[in-house]
C-alpha cells in the first residue's frame, strides 16, 4: 500500500513492471530528459556509490537501480518532492539500496564529504532566473526549471567536490549551454569525455544535450551518434523505444 496525497498518482516506471513512482501533474512528473540521462550515464554494476542531485521525485535513482547494485543517494531541496521520492522508495522496497536527502546540493560536499562517489548525475534547472513577475506561478515548476536555488556553476562545483578522482559526472542540459558547461567542467577539474545531442526528429535542431566528464581525466572528447526522438510518422524511433522500454 502507498499513501497518496492530493492529486498524486502511482505510475509504472516505463518498462520496469516491478517499479512504480508517485507523480503529480501539479507538482512534478519526470521528463524524457531524466530518462535519457539515466540511460546515458556510466554506472558500476556490482558495487560503488552514486549520487543524483536535483533528484525530484527520484526517477533517476530508481532507473539506475535497474542497472546497478551500487548504493544510490538522491538529493532534493523541495520537501514535497523529497516526500514523494521517499514514499515511492518505501513502496518499491529499495531502502537498502536507495536513500534520499532533503537538502541543498551546494551543502552536500560539507555534509557528505568530498571525493566519496563513483558517479554523480544531475538534471539541473536549465534556464536563468527570470524576473519574479515572469516566473511560473507554480513554485515547484519554477524551481525545477529556473536557476532560482542553484545555477550551473553550483551544480558543477558540487559535483566535482563529491566525485572521486577518476569518477564520472553526467549531466543533461540544453545545447545552448554547451560552452558554459565545458568551460565550468574544466574549471572544476572535470574533463568532458562523452557528448550526445538529442533531436526531436531529423531536420530539426538539437534540443537536449547529454555530457559526461571524468574527474582529472585526460582530454579525449567523443561525440556520440545523434539520437532522434520521433520519426517521420511522429512515433518514437526504434532507438528511443529501446531506451524507454528495453
Amino acid at each position: 500500500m502507498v499513501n497518496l496525497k492530493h492529486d498524486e498518482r502511482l505510475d509504472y516506471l516505463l518498462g520496469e513492471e516491478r517499479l512504480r513512482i508517485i507523480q503529480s501533474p501539479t507538482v512534478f512528473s519526470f521528463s524524457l530528459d531524466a530518462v535519457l540521462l539515466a540511460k546515458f550515464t556510466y554506472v558500476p554494476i556490482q558495487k560503488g556509490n552514486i549520487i543524483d542531485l536535483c533528484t525530484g521525485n527520484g526517477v533517476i535513482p530508481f532507473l539506475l537501480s535497474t542497472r546497478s547494485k551500487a548504493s544510490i543517494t538522491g538529493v532534493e531541496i523541495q520537501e514535497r518532492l523529497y516526500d514523494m521520492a521517499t514514499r515511492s522508495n518505501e513502496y518499491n522496497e529499495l531502502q537498502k539500496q536507495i536513500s534520499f536527502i532533503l537538502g541543498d546540493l551546494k551543502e552536500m560536499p560539507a555534509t557528505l564529504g568530498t571525493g566519496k562517489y563513483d558517479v554523480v548525475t544531475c538534471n539541473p534547472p536549465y534556464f536563468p532566473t527570470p524576473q519574479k513577475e515572469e516566473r511560473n506561478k507554480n513554485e515547484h515548476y519554477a524551481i525545477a526549471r529556473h536557476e532560482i536555488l542553484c545555477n550551473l556553476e553550483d551544480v558543477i562545483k558540487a559535483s566535482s567536490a563529491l566525485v572521486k578522482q577518476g569518477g564520472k559526472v553526467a549531466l543533461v542540459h540544453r545545447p545552448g549551454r554547451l560552452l558554459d558547461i565545458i568551460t565550468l567542467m574544466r574549471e572544476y577539474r572535470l574533463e568532458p569525455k562523452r557528448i550526445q545531442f538529442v533531436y526531436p526528429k531529423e531536420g530539426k535542431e538539437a534540443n537536449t544535450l547529454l555530457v559526461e566528464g571524468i574527474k582529472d581525466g585526460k582530454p579525449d572528447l567523443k561525440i556520440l551518434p545523434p539520437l532522434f526522438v520521433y520519426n517521420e510518422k511522429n512515433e518514437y524511433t526504434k532507438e528511443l523505444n529501446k531506451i524507454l522500454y528495453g
Side-chain angles (χ1 to χ4, degrees), residues 2 15 65 85 114 155 182 191 197 201 203 205-206 212 222 238:
V2 63
S65 74
T114 59
V155 168
I182 289 178
E191 184 61 30
F197 292 99
K201 62 193 308 182
E205 292 183 1
E212 182 181 78
K222 291 181 173 59
K238 291 180 180 179

Side-chain angles (χ1 to χ4, degrees), residues 138 142 150:
N138 184 317
C150 70

Side-chain angles (χ1 to χ4, degrees), residues 85-103:
T86 300
R87 284 182 285 127
S88 294
N89 203 33
E90 292 170 354
Y91 179 86
N92 292 315
E93 298 181 343
L94 287 170
Q95 300 97 315
K96 290 184 179 180
Q97 182 182 12
I98 299 175
S99 61
F100 291 99
I101 295 173
L102 176 63

Side-chain angles (χ1 to χ4, degrees), residues 183-201:
T183 299
L184 286 167
M185 288 180 82
R186 284 189 154 174
E187 180 179 343
Y188 289 99
R189 297 166 51 199
L190 297 172
E191 184 61 30
K193 301 292 282 187
R194 293 195 301 139
I195 286 178
Q196 186 171 37
F197 292 99
V198 183
Y199 299 77
K201 62 193 308 182

Side-chain angles (χ1 to χ4, degrees), residues 88-195:
S88 294
N89 203 33
E90 292 170 354
Y91 179 86
N92 292 315
E93 298 181 343
L94 287 170
Q95 300 97 315
K96 290 184 179 180
Q97 182 182 12
I98 299 175
S99 61
F100 291 99
I101 295 173
L102 176 63
D104 189 331
L105 67 85
K106 298 188 291 293
E107 299 172 358
M108 289 304 107
T111 301
L112 301 174
T114 59
K116 292 191 173 181
Y117 292 90
D118 300 282
V119 179
V120 181
T121 57
C122 187
N123 178 8
Y126 293 152
F127 307 109
T129 303
Q131 297 296 319
K132 194 167 184 179
E133 61 271 13
E134 298 174 341
R135 295 181 190 177
N136 193 307
K137 297 298 185 283
N138 184 317
E139 179 186 12
H140 300 288
Y141 282 119
I143 291 172
R145 293 173 178 172
H146 296 279
E147 295 178 334
I148 296 171
L149 299 182
C150 70
N151 59 30
L152 181 60
E153 183 169 8
D154 294 329
V155 168
I156 292 176
K157 181 179 180 180
S159 298
S160 178
L162 290 165
V163 76
K164 295 177 180 178
Q165 187 170 12
K168 300 190 178 183
V169 173
L171 308 174
V172 59
H173 218 289
R174 289 291 180 258
R177 300 298 300 275
L178 174 60
L179 293 182
D180 295 333
I181 291 168
I182 289 178
T183 299
L184 286 167
M185 288 180 82
R186 284 189 154 174
E187 180 179 343
Y188 289 99
R189 297 166 51 199
L190 297 172
E191 184 61 30
K193 301 292 282 187
R194 293 195 301 139
I195 286 178

Side-chain angles (χ1 to χ4, degrees), residues 18 37-46 62-70 97:
R18 65 183 181 86
L37 177 60
K39 299 295 184 180
F40 169 81
T41 189
Y42 157 87
V43 289
I45 296 174
Q46 293 299 328
F62 294 135
L63 288 172
L64 293 182
S65 74
T66 68
R67 299 175 52 209
S68 173
K69 296 179 181 179
Q97 182 182 12

